[in-house]
Amino acid sequence: RGKADWPSFTLRYALTAGGQAVKRGEERVADLNYTGHIANYGTSEPLRYEKQMLGAWFKERFTAPQ
């Protein structure tokens, strides 16, 4: 219909410490409102929306609340 699909991907991850898995999982990451966010990357940056989504997902899952 002349419209682009929103960025989405499935992640499989494992967080390890000392060779042991501390946390693992599989998640689908998608952002239907990807054009409504302030861009952290320039317009010429390849995969800028995907990079921003992945950064937000990582921060939400693996950083301590402030």
Side-chain angles (χ1 to χ4, degrees):
R1 296 181 188 201
K3 295 182 181 181
D5 293 334
W6 57 85
S8 68
F9 41 88
T10 300
L11 291 173
R12 268 180 256 156
Y13 64 92
L15 177 63
T16 60
Q20 300 293 323
V22 176
K23 183 176 183 178
R24 64 177 60 221
E26 180 173 313
E27 293 183 46
R28 183 168 184 270
V29 180
D31 186 0
L32 279 66
N33 189 32
Y34 69 99
T35 59
H37 301 293
I38 297 172
N40 293 332
Y41 299 94
T43 57
S44 63
E45 180 71 31
L47 302 173
R48 64 186 175 274
Y49 299 117
E50 290 84 350
K51 289 176 182 178
Q52 189 161 323
M53 281 176 32
L54 185 57
W57 176 86
F58 185 88
K59 184 177 179 181
E60 184 178 307
R61 295 298 179 285
F62 298 110
T63 59
Q66 296 183 11

